[in-house]
Amino acid sequence: MTFFQLLMKRKELIPLVLFTSVAAGGASSFAVYSFWKTDVILDRKRNPEPWETVDPTIPQKLITINQQWKPIEELQKVQRATK
């Protein structure tokens, strides 16, 4: 019995197969999209030092661990003035 004959015999499996197929297609398309993004570097041979080719006009995502937040004086003055 082929797969399609099984689906025609048991019609209650059609939504399950449909949702599973859509989920698998979305997961695989997201994986392909993640590999083609410009901020992901997979090739170390052609570009071993990627920080040398960073465009300063494009905002970059940076990570800061254990950052100490200090109030900005100019922002505090503006907040006081608008109250």
Side-chain angles (χ1 to χ4, degrees):
M1 187 179 307
T2 65
F3 181 71
F4 294 111
Q5 289 174 347
L6 179 67
L7 283 180
M8 290 303 140
K9 185 176 179 184
R10 298 178 185 222
K11 295 194 185 286
E12 64 271 5
L13 292 178
I14 293 175
L16 179 65
V17 170
L18 178 70
F19 287 125
T20 306
S21 300
V22 169
S28 61
S29 65
F30 180 74
V32 169
Y33 167 75
S34 296
F35 282 127
W36 289 108
K37 281 175 39 177
T38 58
D39 59 343
V40 176
I41 300 168
L42 296 175
D43 188 9
R44 294 185 181 189
K45 292 181 180 178
R46 286 190 288 169
N47 193 7
E49 298 171 344
W51 54 87
E52 292 181 355
T53 60
V54 173
D55 186 10
T57 60
I58 299 174
Q60 300 292 322
K61 295 178 186 176
L62 300 174
I63 185 170
T64 304
I65 299 173
N66 296 330
Q67 180 177 1
Q68 300 295 323
W69 294 96
K70 299 176 186 174
I72 301 171
E73 292 183 29
E74 293 85 11
L75 182 61
Q76 296 295 328
K77 289 179 185 176
V78 170
Q79 287 177 346
R80 285 187 213 124
T82 58
K83 284 185 180 179

